[in-house]
Amino acid sequence: MNMNREFIPLGFGVLTVSDTRSLLSDKSGALLKNNILEAGHKLVKRTIVPDEKAEIQRILKGWIDLKTVDVILTTGGTGLTGRDVTVEAHSELYEKKINAFEVLFSFVSMQKIGMSAIQSRACAGVAAGTFLFALPGSPSACNDAWDQILRKQFDYRNMPCNFVEILPRLEENKRRKKG
């Protein structure tokens, strides 16, 4: 950590994908919300959506279009069952995939749950200048992803590099002259 750098708060959206949870019973969404706020960031949006690809994408697209949302964390729907469609909903929106997130998350998960980590399809990417992360529905998995990976990458003081410092450049290709 370079404490000479000033912390830069980002705007987050938390989307829980579940057919059964409510805001009162959503432990993973609540945990992510608390972690975001404790880190000094802003929670701009939080809601729950059923495991329906079109509905997930509708909300993701709406939040991506908001200038106040820099990062979207979804929780749930990353497994292997028939209703798990979050990864497909995310992947179709990515302009660039963050491949290393899957590897790092698998490594972190394997330390906690062993070979069962193979069942997660957690993924990440960038769309229209917004970071998107699809996390499992387990509160423990969400906490591991936040504590071991995301908290550090969304802190401008983290060195040698972090997501905050590249955020303004995510759409630099759209600013280049065409021709």
Side-chain angles (χ1 to χ4, degrees), residues 1 39 41 145-155 158:
M1 277 297 172
H41 297 292
W146 180 264
D147 283 345
Q148 300 299 315
I149 304 168
L150 300 176
R151 179 180 55 82
K152 296 169 188 165
Q153 278 298 298
F154 289 114
D155 190 331
N158 186 63

Side-chain angles (χ1 to χ4, degrees), residues 31 105 108-109 112 139-150:
L31 181 136
F105 183 75
V108 167
S109 295
K112 296 277 181 109
S140 178
C142 287
N143 203 49
D144 291 344
W146 180 264
D147 283 345
Q148 300 299 315
I149 304 168
L150 300 176

Side-chain angles (χ1 to χ4, degrees), residues 130-176:
T130 304
F131 290 103
L132 293 95
F133 291 84
L135 308 176
S138 152
S140 178
C142 287
N143 203 49
D144 291 344
W146 180 264
D147 283 345
Q148 300 299 315
I149 304 168
L150 300 176
R151 179 180 55 82
K152 296 169 188 165
Q153 278 298 298
F154 289 114
D155 190 331
Y156 183 62
R157 301 167 298 181
N158 186 63
M159 298 298 285
C161 59
N162 56 72
F163 287 142
V164 180
E165 63 193 358
I166 65 169
L167 188 60
R169 296 178 35 223
L170 292 179
E171 293 194 290
E172 65 190 357
N173 64 317
K174 293 181 180 174
R175 292 189 297 269
R176 292 188 188 133

Side-chain angles (χ1 to χ4, degrees), residues 10 12 112 137:
L10 300 178
F12 279 76
K112 296 277 181 109

Side-chain angles (χ1 to χ4, degrees), residues 62-111:
W63 291 4
I64 287 167
D65 288 343
L66 294 175
K67 296 295 180 204
T68 54
V69 175
D70 302 302
V71 183
I72 300 171
L73 305 179
T74 62
T75 173
T78 63
L80 300 171
T81 69
R83 297 286 296 154
D84 292 326
V85 296
T86 303
V87 173
E88 289 74 19
H90 267 246
S91 297
E92 290 179 11
L93 301 180
Y94 293 163
E95 294 163 5
K96 296 195 182 214
K97 190 173 179 185
I98 305 172
N99 297 342
F101 176 75
E102 294 175 27
V103 175
L104 289 173
F105 183 75
S106 294
F107 177 76
V108 167
S109 295
M110 194 164 164
Q111 293 176 359

